Amino acid sequence: MLVPDERGVAVLGTLPGVRPVRYPERGPLPDAARSADVLVVAFGSETWLAPLCADLPRLRLVQTLYAGADGWARLLPDGVLVSNARGAHGPPTAELAVALLLAVYRDLPGFRDDQAAGRWRRRTTDTLSGKRVLVLGAGDLGGSLRRLLVAFDTTVTLVGRRPRPEVRTLTDLPELLPDHDATVVMLPYTPDTHRLVDQRFLALMPDDGVLVNVARGGIVDTDALLAELTTGRLRAALDVTEPEPLPAGHPLWTAPGVLITPHVGGYVHDFRERGWQVVAAQIAQFAATGRTDNLVTR
């Protein structure tokens, strides 16, 4: 098994029958790679690491340290499974989504600007309490967010990719979007969700609606969002963008009504430990059964 850091060696080395070997970032794979059946990958490693998988003849599973699978499901040969770290970063990401909603509704950026200017400007703001929130994503992230939002006396509607009790589907969006004050995007990034939030989607949101994206930037059509922000009809809070990192001078930086954070949803002090604990459970399951609970549909 190949792992990207020494913490992975320490955590996975305690599992029976598992021999983790560390591989260098952006370097040649160690000699042990040819006998490795599992590859654990960190965020953002697809571009340099996926081409090297051709040199792993026994590879059976790619296990990510993060909730998404992003490019891996499209880059690997048939027969190689992909599993993610769903369950590791749900609570912190949901917490950030709530923080962004509160910041937008209570105008915390505006008060911070007043503080920087030494200006005491008392004024009324909006409130999250009582809002109707549409959450796109009904897995670990969406479930974590719904539990937090209950404390703010909100009405929450979950939308998933498949129907189940108390979960609507993406085909219901034309009906749901006009009836919700805020929409939070927490879906996996797949070909089906690429630019799901497009001009038509945004046009269905009500005036003064709030869009929060804590998933992947490619789910939102940046140009369409910029057009709505420029008119002032919608507001947004974005932890992810397209492109990412957002380059200096990009119009999103200065668009009215937008709050941007640099993809830090799950990036809390113990985020690596959270990821490794979930990965350890998935690897133990794979060693015993040849499957994991977090397998990603390819």
Side-chain angles (χ1 to χ4, degrees):
M1 173 181 303
L2 299 175
V3 299
D5 58 42
E6 289 300 328
R7 184 56 184 157
V9 173
V11 172
L12 300 183
T14 64
L15 300 178
V18 173
R19 186 171 73 89
V21 176
R22 182 180 180 182
Y23 59 87
E25 184 176 357
R26 301 187 182 277
L29 297 179
D31 293 340
R34 292 192 62 80
S35 62
D37 56 356
V38 177
L39 173 65
V40 182
V41 298
F43 181 74
S45 60
E46 305 98 292
T47 53
W48 69 272
L49 189 52
L52 300 183
C53 290
D55 298 324
L56 306 178
R58 297 184 58 184
L59 184 64
R60 297 171 55 208
L61 174 72
V62 168
Q63 169 69 55
T64 71
L65 270 164
Y66 49 97
D70 292 59
W72 285 105
R74 301 189 300 274
L75 295 172
L76 294 170
D78 291 341
V80 179
L81 303 174
V82 180
S83 178
N84 64 28
R86 183 178 69 245
H89 309 301
T93 302
E95 180 181 84
L96 179 66
V98 172
L100 292 173
L101 285 168
L102 287 170
V104 170
Y105 282 125
R106 299 309 306 262
D107 192 22
L108 298 187
F111 288 117
R112 185 66 180 86
D113 290 343
D114 287 344
Q115 179 182 345
R119 180 174 54 233
W120 185 275
R121 188 164 63 100
R122 188 166 181 257
R123 60 192 184 279
T124 60
T125 67
D126 205 340
T127 176
L128 177 57
S129 177
K131 290 293 189 291
R132 299 160 299 175
V133 182
L134 186 65
V135 179
L136 306 190
D140 175 50
L141 298 182
S144 295
L145 179 58
R146 177 167 62 177
R147 288 191 294 273
L148 293 180
L149 286 174
V150 166
F152 290 90
D153 195 27
T154 62
T155 299
V156 180
T157 304
L158 293 185
V159 175
R161 292 178 293 172
R162 56 183 177 82
R164 49 197 188 276
E166 298 185 359
V167 176
R168 305 289 292 270
T169 66
L170 295 175
T171 58
D172 297 323
L173 286 177
E175 171 193 346
L176 296 172
L177 285 166
D179 198 38
H180 286 79
D181 304 293
T183 297
V184 181
V185 181
M186 307 184 101
L187 289 166
Y189 182 46
T190 68
D192 291 336
T193 61
H194 176 68
R195 296 195 176 177
L196 171 70
V197 182
D198 57 9
Q199 182 180 20
R200 179 172 177 270
F201 181 110
L202 296 169
L204 288 169
M205 293 180 63
D207 290 351
D208 207 29
V210 177
L211 177 74
V212 176
N213 188 4
V214 291
R216 291 293 185 269
I219 298 178
V220 175
D221 183 330
T222 300
D223 290 339
L225 178 59
L226 273 169
E228 292 284 7
L229 293 172
T230 300
T231 66
R233 196 182 76 82
L234 298 180
R235 293 175 288 173
L238 308 174
D239 186 48
V240 290
T241 60
E242 187 185 48
E244 187 178 309
L246 194 63
H250 193 283
L252 261 182
W253 284 119
T254 54
V258 64
L259 174 61
I260 298 173
T261 54
H263 202 153
V264 293
Y267 203 57
V268 293
H269 289 308
D270 64 346
F271 82 101
R272 292 189 186 279
E273 189 62 28
R274 288 171 179 265
W276 277 118
Q277 292 306 315
V278 171
V279 166
Q282 297 300 298
I283 297 301
Q285 187 180 29
F286 183 75
T289 68
R291 307 285 290 179
T292 77
D293 287 337
N294 285 5
L295 285 181
V296 176
T297 302
R298 297 181 59 191

